[in-house]
Short mmCIF file of all heavy atoms in Angstrom, two decimals:
data_model
loop_
_atom_site.label_atom_id
_atom_site.label_comp_id
_atom_site.label_asym_id
_atom_site.label_seq_id
_atom_site.Cartn_x
_atom_site.Cartn_y
_atom_site.Cartn_z
N TYR A 464 94.38 92.76 114.21
CA TYR A 464 94.18 93.36 115.53
C TYR A 464 94.33 92.25 116.55
O TYR A 464 93.53 91.31 116.58
CB TYR A 464 92.79 94.00 115.65
CG TYR A 464 92.63 94.80 116.93
CD1 TYR A 464 92.98 96.14 116.98
CD2 TYR A 464 92.17 94.19 118.10
CE1 TYR A 464 92.86 96.86 118.15
CE2 TYR A 464 92.06 94.91 119.27
CZ TYR A 464 92.40 96.25 119.29
OH TYR A 464 92.29 96.96 120.46
N LYS A 465 95.35 92.36 117.37
CA LYS A 465 95.60 91.32 118.37
C LYS A 465 96.01 91.94 119.68
O LYS A 465 96.91 92.79 119.72
CB LYS A 465 96.68 90.35 117.89
CG LYS A 465 96.91 89.20 118.89
CD LYS A 465 97.90 88.19 118.38
CE LYS A 465 98.10 87.07 119.40
NZ LYS A 465 99.06 86.04 118.93
N VAL A 466 95.35 91.54 120.75
CA VAL A 466 95.68 91.94 122.11
C VAL A 466 95.59 90.69 122.98
O VAL A 466 95.17 89.64 122.51
CB VAL A 466 94.71 93.03 122.62
CG1 VAL A 466 94.89 94.33 121.83
CG2 VAL A 466 93.26 92.58 122.55
N PRO A 467 95.99 90.76 124.24
CA PRO A 467 95.86 89.56 125.10
C PRO A 467 94.43 89.02 125.11
O PRO A 467 93.46 89.76 124.98
CB PRO A 467 96.27 90.09 126.48
CG PRO A 467 97.21 91.21 126.18
CD PRO A 467 96.66 91.87 124.95
N GLN A 468 94.34 87.72 125.29
CA GLN A 468 93.02 87.09 125.32
C GLN A 468 92.15 87.66 126.44
O GLN A 468 90.94 87.78 126.31
CB GLN A 468 93.16 85.58 125.50
CG GLN A 468 93.82 84.88 124.33
CD GLN A 468 94.00 83.40 124.56
OE1 GLN A 468 93.59 82.87 125.60
NE2 GLN A 468 94.61 82.72 123.61
N LYS A 469 92.80 88.02 127.54
CA LYS A 469 92.06 88.55 128.68
C LYS A 469 92.77 89.79 129.22
O LYS A 469 93.97 89.76 129.46
CB LYS A 469 91.92 87.50 129.78
CG LYS A 469 91.11 86.27 129.36
CD LYS A 469 91.00 85.26 130.49
CE LYS A 469 90.17 84.07 130.06
NZ LYS A 469 90.04 83.06 131.16
N ILE A 470 92.01 90.84 129.42
CA ILE A 470 92.52 92.07 130.03
C ILE A 470 91.61 92.41 131.22
O ILE A 470 90.42 92.67 131.04
CB ILE A 470 92.54 93.24 129.03
CG1 ILE A 470 93.39 92.88 127.81
CG2 ILE A 470 93.07 94.51 129.69
CD1 ILE A 470 93.32 93.90 126.70
N TYR A 471 92.18 92.38 132.42
CA TYR A 471 91.42 92.69 133.63
C TYR A 471 91.80 94.10 134.09
O TYR A 471 92.97 94.45 134.13
CB TYR A 471 91.75 91.68 134.74
CG TYR A 471 91.25 90.28 134.45
CD1 TYR A 471 92.03 89.39 133.72
CD2 TYR A 471 90.01 89.85 134.91
CE1 TYR A 471 91.59 88.11 133.44
CE2 TYR A 471 89.56 88.57 134.65
CZ TYR A 471 90.35 87.70 133.92
OH TYR A 471 89.90 86.44 133.65
N PHE A 472 90.80 94.89 134.44
CA PHE A 472 91.09 96.23 134.94
C PHE A 472 90.08 96.62 136.02
O PHE A 472 89.09 95.93 136.23
CB PHE A 472 91.11 97.25 133.79
CG PHE A 472 89.83 97.37 133.02
CD1 PHE A 472 88.93 98.40 133.29
CD2 PHE A 472 89.53 96.47 132.01
CE1 PHE A 472 87.76 98.52 132.56
CE2 PHE A 472 88.35 96.59 131.28
CZ PHE A 472 87.46 97.62 131.56
N LYS A 473 90.36 97.72 136.66
CA LYS A 473 89.67 98.28 137.83
C LYS A 473 90.47 97.95 139.09
O LYS A 473 91.23 96.97 139.15
CB LYS A 473 88.23 97.78 137.99
CG LYS A 473 87.24 98.43 137.02
CD LYS A 473 87.05 99.90 137.33
CE LYS A 473 86.01 100.53 136.41
NZ LYS A 473 85.87 101.98 136.65
N ARG A 474 90.31 98.79 140.11
CA ARG A 474 91.03 98.60 141.36
C ARG A 474 90.61 97.29 142.00
O ARG A 474 89.43 96.96 142.07
CB ARG A 474 90.77 99.76 142.31
CG ARG A 474 91.28 101.09 141.76
CD ARG A 474 91.06 102.26 142.70
NE ARG A 474 91.93 102.20 143.87
CZ ARG A 474 92.05 103.17 144.76
NH1 ARG A 474 91.33 104.30 144.60
NH2 ARG A 474 92.86 103.06 145.78
N GLY A 475 91.59 96.53 142.45
CA GLY A 475 91.31 95.24 143.05
C GLY A 475 91.23 94.09 142.06
O GLY A 475 90.88 92.97 142.44
N ALA A 476 91.57 94.35 140.81
CA ALA A 476 91.46 93.30 139.78
C ALA A 476 92.50 92.19 139.97
O ALA A 476 92.30 91.08 139.48
CB ALA A 476 91.62 93.92 138.39
N LEU A 477 93.59 92.47 140.67
CA LEU A 477 94.69 91.52 140.77
C LEU A 477 94.25 90.15 141.27
O LEU A 477 94.51 89.13 140.63
CB LEU A 477 95.78 92.08 141.70
CG LEU A 477 96.96 91.14 141.96
CD1 LEU A 477 97.80 90.98 140.71
CD2 LEU A 477 97.79 91.63 143.13
N LYS A 478 93.56 90.12 142.40
CA LYS A 478 93.21 88.84 143.03
C LYS A 478 92.29 88.02 142.14
O LYS A 478 92.52 86.83 141.89
CB LYS A 478 92.56 89.10 144.39
CG LYS A 478 92.20 87.84 145.17
CD LYS A 478 91.68 88.20 146.56
CE LYS A 478 91.39 86.93 147.38
NZ LYS A 478 90.29 86.14 146.81
N LEU A 479 91.24 88.65 141.63
CA LEU A 479 90.27 87.91 140.82
C LEU A 479 90.90 87.39 139.54
O LEU A 479 90.60 86.27 139.09
CB LEU A 479 89.08 88.81 140.49
CG LEU A 479 88.21 89.21 141.68
CD1 LEU A 479 87.15 90.23 141.26
CD2 LEU A 479 87.55 87.98 142.30
N ALA A 480 91.78 88.18 138.95
CA ALA A 480 92.42 87.76 137.70
C ALA A 480 93.35 86.57 137.94
O ALA A 480 93.32 85.58 137.19
CB ALA A 480 93.20 88.92 137.09
N LEU A 481 94.20 86.66 138.97
CA LEU A 481 95.14 85.55 139.22
C LEU A 481 94.42 84.27 139.60
O LEU A 481 94.90 83.17 139.32
CB LEU A 481 96.13 85.96 140.32
CG LEU A 481 97.16 87.02 139.93
CD1 LEU A 481 98.06 87.35 141.11
CD2 LEU A 481 98.01 86.54 138.74
N GLU A 482 93.27 84.40 140.24
CA GLU A 482 92.52 83.20 140.61
C GLU A 482 92.03 82.44 139.39
O GLU A 482 91.71 81.25 139.48
CB GLU A 482 91.35 83.58 141.53
CG GLU A 482 91.82 83.92 142.95
CD GLU A 482 90.69 84.40 143.86
OE1 GLU A 482 89.58 84.66 143.32
OE2 GLU A 482 90.93 84.53 145.07
N GLU A 483 91.96 83.11 138.24
CA GLU A 483 91.59 82.42 137.00
C GLU A 483 92.67 81.42 136.58
O GLU A 483 92.44 80.55 135.75
CB GLU A 483 91.40 83.43 135.88
CG GLU A 483 90.18 84.32 136.02
CD GLU A 483 89.15 84.01 134.96
OE1 GLU A 483 89.49 83.38 133.95
OE2 GLU A 483 87.99 84.38 135.16
N LEU A 484 93.87 81.55 137.18
CA LEU A 484 95.00 80.71 136.81
C LEU A 484 95.26 79.63 137.86
O LEU A 484 96.37 79.13 137.98
CB LEU A 484 96.24 81.58 136.64
CG LEU A 484 96.11 82.71 135.61
CD1 LEU A 484 97.26 83.70 135.75
CD2 LEU A 484 96.08 82.13 134.20
N LYS A 485 94.25 79.27 138.60
CA LYS A 485 94.42 78.34 139.73
C LYS A 485 94.89 76.95 139.31
O LYS A 485 95.38 76.18 140.14
CB LYS A 485 93.13 78.23 140.52
CG LYS A 485 91.93 77.76 139.70
CD LYS A 485 90.65 77.85 140.50
CE LYS A 485 89.44 77.46 139.67
NZ LYS A 485 88.18 77.63 140.43
N ASP A 486 94.77 76.62 138.03
CA ASP A 486 95.23 75.30 137.57
C ASP A 486 96.74 75.25 137.37
O ASP A 486 97.31 74.17 137.17
CB ASP A 486 94.53 74.92 136.26
CG ASP A 486 94.81 75.92 135.15
OD1 ASP A 486 94.86 77.13 135.44
OD2 ASP A 486 94.96 75.49 134.00
N LYS A 487 97.41 76.40 137.43
CA LYS A 487 98.86 76.43 137.23
C LYS A 487 99.59 75.96 138.50
O LYS A 487 99.09 76.12 139.61
CB LYS A 487 99.32 77.85 136.87
CG LYS A 487 98.66 78.41 135.62
CD LYS A 487 98.98 77.58 134.38
CE LYS A 487 98.31 78.12 133.14
NZ LYS A 487 98.58 77.29 131.95
N LYS A 488 100.79 75.39 138.30
CA LYS A 488 101.51 74.78 139.42
C LYS A 488 102.79 75.54 139.82
O LYS A 488 103.15 75.57 140.99
CB LYS A 488 101.91 73.34 139.05
CG LYS A 488 100.73 72.47 138.62
CD LYS A 488 99.70 72.32 139.71
CE LYS A 488 98.56 71.39 139.28
NZ LYS A 488 97.48 71.34 140.29
N ARG A 489 103.45 76.14 138.83
CA ARG A 489 104.77 76.71 139.10
C ARG A 489 104.84 78.10 138.46
O ARG A 489 104.84 78.25 137.24
CB ARG A 489 105.88 75.82 138.53
CG ARG A 489 105.77 74.37 139.02
CD ARG A 489 106.71 73.44 138.26
NE ARG A 489 108.10 73.63 138.65
CZ ARG A 489 108.64 73.07 139.71
NH1 ARG A 489 107.91 72.30 140.51
NH2 ARG A 489 109.91 73.26 140.01
N ALA A 490 104.93 79.12 139.32
CA ALA A 490 104.92 80.52 138.84
C ALA A 490 106.31 81.14 138.98
O ALA A 490 106.93 81.09 140.05
CB ALA A 490 103.91 81.33 139.63
N PHE A 491 106.78 81.72 137.89
CA PHE A 491 108.06 82.43 137.87
C PHE A 491 107.77 83.92 137.72
O PHE A 491 107.19 84.35 136.72
CB PHE A 491 108.92 81.93 136.71
CG PHE A 491 110.30 82.53 136.67
CD1 PHE A 491 111.16 82.42 137.76
CD2 PHE A 491 110.76 83.20 135.55
CE1 PHE A 491 112.44 82.97 137.73
CE2 PHE A 491 112.03 83.75 135.51
CZ PHE A 491 112.88 83.63 136.61
N ILE A 492 108.14 84.72 138.72
CA ILE A 492 107.86 86.15 138.73
C ILE A 492 109.11 86.92 138.32
O ILE A 492 110.17 86.76 138.94
CB ILE A 492 107.36 86.62 140.11
CG1 ILE A 492 106.13 85.82 140.54
CG2 ILE A 492 107.04 88.11 140.07
CD1 ILE A 492 105.67 86.11 141.95
N ILE A 493 108.98 87.77 137.32
CA ILE A 493 110.09 88.58 136.82
C ILE A 493 109.80 90.03 137.19
O ILE A 493 108.76 90.58 136.81
CB ILE A 493 110.22 88.43 135.29
CG1 ILE A 493 110.52 86.97 134.94
CG2 ILE A 493 111.31 89.36 134.74
CD1 ILE A 493 110.22 86.60 133.51
N THR A 494 110.72 90.66 137.94
CA THR A 494 110.43 92.00 138.44
C THR A 494 111.74 92.73 138.73
O THR A 494 112.81 92.29 138.31
CB THR A 494 109.52 91.91 139.69
OG1 THR A 494 109.09 93.21 140.07
CG2 THR A 494 110.24 91.24 140.84
N ASP A 495 111.64 93.84 139.44
CA ASP A 495 112.86 94.56 139.84
C ASP A 495 112.82 94.82 141.35
O ASP A 495 111.82 94.55 142.02
CB ASP A 495 113.02 95.86 139.04
CG ASP A 495 111.84 96.81 139.20
OD1 ASP A 495 111.33 96.96 140.32
OD2 ASP A 495 111.42 97.39 138.19
N LYS A 496 113.91 95.33 141.88
CA LYS A 496 114.05 95.49 143.32
C LYS A 496 112.98 96.41 143.92
O LYS A 496 112.53 96.22 145.05
CB LYS A 496 115.44 96.05 143.66
CG LYS A 496 116.59 95.13 143.28
CD LYS A 496 116.58 93.84 144.08
CE LYS A 496 117.81 92.98 143.75
NZ LYS A 496 117.76 91.67 144.46
N SER A 497 112.56 97.41 143.17
CA SER A 497 111.60 98.37 143.71
C SER A 497 110.26 97.71 144.03
O SER A 497 109.54 98.15 144.92
CB SER A 497 111.39 99.53 142.73
OG SER A 497 110.76 99.09 141.55
N MET A 498 109.93 96.65 143.30
CA MET A 498 108.65 95.98 143.55
C MET A 498 108.65 95.30 144.92
O MET A 498 107.60 95.16 145.56
CB MET A 498 108.36 94.95 142.44
CG MET A 498 108.15 95.56 141.06
SD MET A 498 106.74 96.69 140.95
CE MET A 498 107.58 98.29 141.02
N GLU A 499 109.83 94.85 145.37
CA GLU A 499 109.95 94.31 146.73
C GLU A 499 109.80 95.43 147.75
O GLU A 499 109.08 95.30 148.74
CB GLU A 499 111.31 93.62 146.88
CG GLU A 499 111.46 92.37 146.03
CD GLU A 499 112.83 91.72 146.22
OE1 GLU A 499 113.85 92.43 146.11
OE2 GLU A 499 112.86 90.50 146.49
N THR A 500 110.48 96.55 147.48
CA THR A 500 110.46 97.68 148.40
C THR A 500 109.05 98.22 148.61
O THR A 500 108.63 98.51 149.74
CB THR A 500 111.37 98.81 147.87
OG1 THR A 500 112.69 98.30 147.69
CG2 THR A 500 111.40 99.99 148.83
N PHE A 501 108.29 98.36 147.52
CA PHE A 501 106.94 98.93 147.60
C PHE A 501 105.89 97.93 148.09
O PHE A 501 104.75 98.30 148.34
CB PHE A 501 106.51 99.47 146.24
CG PHE A 501 107.32 100.63 145.76
CD1 PHE A 501 107.68 100.73 144.42
CD2 PHE A 501 107.76 101.61 146.63
CE1 PHE A 501 108.42 101.80 143.96
CE2 PHE A 501 108.51 102.68 146.18
CZ PHE A 501 108.85 102.78 144.84
N GLY A 502 106.28 96.67 148.21
CA GLY A 502 105.33 95.66 148.68
C GLY A 502 104.47 95.05 147.59
O GLY A 502 103.58 94.24 147.86
N TYR A 503 104.72 95.43 146.36
CA TYR A 503 103.89 94.92 145.25
C TYR A 503 104.16 93.45 144.99
O TYR A 503 103.25 92.68 144.66
CB TYR A 503 104.14 95.72 143.98
CG TYR A 503 103.75 97.18 144.08
CD1 TYR A 503 104.33 98.13 143.25
CD2 TYR A 503 102.79 97.61 145.00
CE1 TYR A 503 103.98 99.47 143.32
CE2 TYR A 503 102.44 98.95 145.09
CZ TYR A 503 103.03 99.87 144.26
OH TYR A 503 102.68 101.18 144.35
N LEU A 504 105.40 93.03 145.13
CA LEU A 504 105.73 91.62 144.94
C LEU A 504 104.99 90.77 145.96
O LEU A 504 104.45 89.71 145.63
CB LEU A 504 107.24 91.41 145.06
CG LEU A 504 107.72 89.96 144.98
CD1 LEU A 504 107.33 89.32 143.66
CD2 LEU A 504 109.25 89.90 145.18
N ALA A 505 104.92 91.24 147.21
CA ALA A 505 104.22 90.49 148.25
C ALA A 505 102.74 90.34 147.92
O ALA A 505 102.13 89.29 148.20
CB ALA A 505 104.39 91.19 149.60
N MET A 506 102.14 91.39 147.33
CA MET A 506 100.72 91.32 146.95
C MET A 506 100.47 90.18 145.97
O MET A 506 99.49 89.44 146.08
CB MET A 506 100.28 92.65 146.32
CG MET A 506 100.23 93.81 147.30
SD MET A 506 100.04 95.42 146.44
CE MET A 506 98.46 95.16 145.63
N VAL A 507 101.37 90.02 145.02
CA VAL A 507 101.22 88.96 144.02
C VAL A 507 101.51 87.59 144.64
O VAL A 507 100.78 86.61 144.43
CB VAL A 507 102.14 89.22 142.81
CG1 VAL A 507 102.09 88.06 141.81
CG2 VAL A 507 101.75 90.53 142.13
N ARG A 508 102.58 87.52 145.42
CA ARG A 508 102.95 86.24 146.03
C ARG A 508 101.84 85.71 146.93
O ARG A 508 101.55 84.51 146.94
CB ARG A 508 104.24 86.40 146.85
CG ARG A 508 105.48 86.63 146.03
CD ARG A 508 106.73 86.51 146.87
NE ARG A 508 106.94 85.11 147.27
CZ ARG A 508 108.14 84.56 147.42
NH1 ARG A 508 109.23 85.29 147.21
NH2 ARG A 508 108.27 83.31 147.78
N ASP A 509 101.22 86.60 147.70
CA ASP A 509 100.17 86.16 148.62
C ASP A 509 99.06 85.44 147.88
O ASP A 509 98.56 84.39 148.32
CB ASP A 509 99.59 87.37 149.37
CG ASP A 509 100.56 87.92 150.41
OD1 ASP A 509 101.55 87.21 150.72
OD2 ASP A 509 100.33 89.03 150.90
N VAL A 510 98.65 85.99 146.74
CA VAL A 510 97.55 85.37 145.97
C VAL A 510 98.00 84.01 145.44
O VAL A 510 97.27 83.02 145.54
CB VAL A 510 97.11 86.28 144.82
CG1 VAL A 510 96.02 85.59 143.99
CG2 VAL A 510 96.61 87.62 145.34
N LEU A 511 99.22 83.96 144.88
CA LEU A 511 99.71 82.72 144.28
C LEU A 511 99.91 81.63 145.33
O LEU A 511 99.60 80.44 145.10
CB LEU A 511 101.02 82.97 143.53
CG LEU A 511 100.94 83.97 142.36
CD1 LEU A 511 102.33 84.15 141.74
CD2 LEU A 511 99.95 83.49 141.30
N GLU A 512 100.42 82.01 146.51
CA GLU A 512 100.63 81.02 147.58
C GLU A 512 99.31 80.47 148.08
O GLU A 512 99.19 79.27 148.39
CB GLU A 512 101.42 81.66 148.71
CG GLU A 512 102.90 81.86 148.37
CD GLU A 512 103.64 82.66 149.43
OE1 GLU A 512 102.96 83.21 150.34
OE2 GLU A 512 104.89 82.75 149.34
N ASN A 513 98.30 81.33 148.16
CA ASN A 513 96.97 80.85 148.55
C ASN A 513 96.39 79.88 147.54
O ASN A 513 95.53 79.06 147.88
CB ASN A 513 96.01 82.04 148.73
CG ASN A 513 96.32 82.83 150.00
OD1 ASN A 513 96.93 82.30 150.94
ND2 ASN A 513 95.94 84.10 150.02
N LEU A 514 96.86 79.97 146.30
CA LEU A 514 96.41 79.04 145.26
C LEU A 514 97.26 77.77 145.24
O LEU A 514 97.03 76.88 144.42
CB LEU A 514 96.46 79.71 143.88
CG LEU A 514 95.49 80.89 143.66
CD1 LEU A 514 95.78 81.57 142.34
CD2 LEU A 514 94.04 80.41 143.70
N GLY A 515 98.26 77.71 146.12
CA GLY A 515 99.09 76.51 146.24
C GLY A 515 100.19 76.38 145.22
O GLY A 515 100.71 75.28 144.99
N MET A 516 100.60 77.46 144.60
CA MET A 516 101.63 77.39 143.57
C MET A 516 103.03 77.46 144.18
O MET A 516 103.25 78.16 145.16
CB MET A 516 101.49 78.55 142.58
CG MET A 516 100.27 78.51 141.71
SD MET A 516 100.35 79.81 140.46
CE MET A 516 98.60 79.91 140.01
N ALA A 517 103.98 76.75 143.54
CA ALA A 517 105.40 76.93 143.83
C ALA A 517 105.84 78.21 143.13
O ALA A 517 105.42 78.49 142.01
CB ALA A 517 106.19 75.74 143.32
N ILE A 518 106.72 78.98 143.78
CA ILE A 518 107.05 80.32 143.26
C ILE A 518 108.57 80.51 143.24
O ILE A 518 109.28 80.13 144.17
CB ILE A 518 106.41 81.43 144.13
CG1 ILE A 518 104.89 81.28 144.15
CG2 ILE A 518 106.81 82.81 143.63
CD1 ILE A 518 104.21 82.16 145.19
N ARG A 519 109.05 81.09 142.15
CA ARG A 519 110.43 81.58 142.06
C ARG A 519 110.37 83.04 141.62
O ARG A 519 109.52 83.42 140.83
CB ARG A 519 111.25 80.77 141.05
CG ARG A 519 111.55 79.35 141.47
CD ARG A 519 112.56 79.29 142.61
NE ARG A 519 112.91 77.91 142.92
CZ ARG A 519 112.19 77.09 143.66
NH1 ARG A 519 111.05 77.53 144.20
NH2 ARG A 519 112.58 75.85 143.89
N VAL A 520 111.32 83.83 142.11
CA VAL A 520 111.33 85.26 141.80
C VAL A 520 112.70 85.64 141.24
O VAL A 520 113.74 85.25 141.79
CB VAL A 520 111.02 86.12 143.04
CG1 VAL A 520 111.14 87.61 142.69
CG2 VAL A 520 109.63 85.80 143.57
N PHE A 521 112.69 86.40 140.16
CA PHE A 521 113.91 87.01 139.64
C PHE A 521 113.68 88.51 139.67
O PHE A 521 112.82 89.04 138.97
CB PHE A 521 114.19 86.55 138.21
CG PHE A 521 115.47 87.11 137.65
CD1 PHE A 521 116.68 86.51 137.93
CD2 PHE A 521 115.46 88.25 136.85
CE1 PHE A 521 117.87 87.03 137.43
CE2 PHE A 521 116.64 88.77 136.34
CZ PHE A 521 117.85 88.16 136.64
N SER A 522 114.46 89.23 140.51
CA SER A 522 114.20 90.66 140.72
C SER A 522 115.39 91.54 140.35
O SER A 522 115.55 92.63 140.87
CB SER A 522 113.82 90.91 142.19
OG SER A 522 114.87 90.50 143.05
N ASN A 523 116.21 91.06 139.41
CA ASN A 523 117.40 91.82 139.03
C ASN A 523 117.25 92.57 137.71
O ASN A 523 118.24 92.91 137.07
CB ASN A 523 118.62 90.88 138.92
CG ASN A 523 119.06 90.36 140.28
OD1 ASN A 523 118.78 91.00 141.30
ND2 ASN A 523 119.70 89.20 140.30
#
Side-chain angles (χ1 to χ4, degrees):
Y464 188 89
K465 183 176 180 179
V466 294
Q468 294 178 2
K469 296 180 179 180
I470 302 173
Y471 292 87
F472 60 99
K473 285 292 183 183
R474 297 181 71 171
L477 176 70
K478 182 175 183 295
L479 293 174
L481 289 179
E482 286 176 349
E483 290 248 342
L484 303 166
K485 58 187 177 184
D486 60 321
K487 302 298 179 182
K488 305 298 183 186
R489 306 169 74 82
F491 184 57
I492 303 174
I493 299 161
T494 188
D495 58 42
K496 297 295 184 184
S497 66
M498 295 298 101
E499 293 179 310
T500 303
F501 295 141
Y503 296 156
L504 176 60
M506 291 168 61
V507 175
R508 290 191 70 146
D509 288 346
V510 177
L511 298 178
E512 287 172 350
N513 287 337
L514 294 172
M516 292 187 200
I518 300 169
R519 291 289 185 279
V520 176
F521 183 83
S522 60
N523 290 337

